[in-house]
Amino acid sequence: QVQLVESGGGVVQPGRSLRLSCAASGFTLTTYGMHWVRQAPGKGLEWVAVIWHDGSNKYYADSVKGRFTVSRDVSKNTLYLQLNSLRAEDTAVYYCARHRVRGGIITPFDYWGQGTLVTVSS
Amino acid sequence: DIQLTQSPAFLSASVGDRVTITCRASQGLRSYFAWYQQKPGRAPNLLIYATSTLQSGVPSRFSGSGSGTEFTLTISSLQPEDFATYYCQQLNSYPFTWTFGQGTKVEIK
């Protein structure tokens, strides 16, 4: 069955870096677009980044552009998010999720991981 | 980017009530528009996509509709397991970005 398992969260000081991982099983990353979505404590959902199914395109929210980088390793079927120059406002649970393209139409996020908590604090 | 204005932010209702949540978008993209349910400590769960299509496994008491830039999620008869927070979502094409509404927390009256 489809599973997404995030890891790599933790407590990090402002200005430092962290890399999150999302291990996928039950499907291959080469057939789905993959996203990172975050949720600050007690707040709503914020879309962060996407990588296309073929790796050809990556898009970012303005709030993370230039600081975060999405990538993947298809041999490990794993998605990554490199978080640099971290700020207190980056504190959140980070989820990975997938989308599919059906008949040329992008579909919403049908599977999500359980999330990993990133806390940026001195 | 598309702006989404979701209302109400909080909703107090009883089991069996009919509940409606609205999302107003600065642009409409009916082929994508989605609704998610999120329970405390859990990841969001897709309920509705393409404005009105029920995701597999979602009970039929959930329905979605949309006209122009206004989209609606309706729960026809609220059940105890439906108390949660609901989010709308829209896709902005070229450059591709995704936007969530602010959320509607449905609480027990």
Side-chain angles (χ1 to χ4, degrees):
Chain A
Q1 72 280 20
V2 173
Q3 227 179 350
L4 295 167
V5 180
E6 301 95 337
S7 61
V11 180
V12 60
Q13 292 179 328
R16 303 298 289 265
S17 298
L18 204 61
R19 189 178 81 159
L20 307 182
S21 300
C22 169
S25 57
F27 71 101
T28 60
L29 297 188
T30 55
T31 55
Y32 286 84
M34 295 299 299
H35 299 258
W36 289 98
V37 176
R38 68 183 181 181
Q39 187 169 35
K43 302 297 184 182
L45 301 170
E46 180 187 15
W47 175 79
V48 172
V50 63
I51 182 167
W52 243 227
H53 67 285
D54 57 3
S56 61
N57 291 300
K58 302 175 184 180
Y59 297 97
Y60 299 91
D62 287 344
S63 58
V64 306
K65 206 173 291 183
R67 299 188 300 122
F68 291 8
T69 302
V70 62
S71 63
R72 63 184 193 167
D73 184 334
V74 296
S75 67
K76 295 181 179 178
N77 216 34
T78 299
L79 174 74
Y80 301 103
L81 185 68
Q82 179 69 37
L83 294 70
N84 295 335
S85 303
L86 281 161
R87 306 166 180 167
E89 54 265 35
D90 295 318
T91 294
V93 173
Y94 285 74
Y95 296 100
C96 60
R98 72 174 199 181
H99 82 247
R100 201 162 93 179
V101 178
R102 284 182 188 164
I105 295 176
I106 295 173
T107 63
F109 308 166
D110 61 348
Y111 279 92
W112 298 61
Q114 84 291 347
T116 187
L117 176 62
V118 173
T119 303
V120 183
S121 173
S122 53
Chain B
D1 279 7
I2 292 175
Q3 307 300 317
L4 292 179
T5 304
Q6 188 174 339
S7 62
F10 295 95
L11 193 160
S12 184
S14 301
V15 172
D17 284 353
R18 181 181 181 89
V19 165
T20 299
I21 299 169
T22 298
C23 211
R24 287 184 175 82
S26 56
Q27 301 173 43
L29 188 61
R30 292 178 55 87
S31 62
Y32 183 91
F33 201 88
W35 292 94
Y36 297 86
Q37 176 193 67
Q38 187 181 33
K39 296 183 179 179
R42 305 287 299 274
N45 181 48
L46 178 63
L47 297 175
I48 302 277
Y49 64 95
T51 300
S52 59
T53 303
L54 206 62
Q55 174 70 352
S56 176
V58 174
S60 59
R61 63 181 179 272
F62 291 92
S63 64
S65 64
S67 177
T69 56
E70 184 166 310
F71 299 84
T72 299
L73 172 70
T74 300
I75 309 172
S76 60
S77 178
L78 200 64
Q79 298 302 300
E81 60 268 29
D82 301 336
F83 291 96
T85 301
Y86 295 84
Y87 294 93
C88 56
Q89 185 198 37
Q90 183 58 290
L91 163 65
N92 184 53
S93 301
Y94 305 109
F96 287 94
T97 59
W98 281 255
T99 302
F100 289 95
Q102 300 87 345
T104 296
K105 186 172 183 179
V106 178
E107 299 178 321
I108 300 173
K109 192 179 233 179

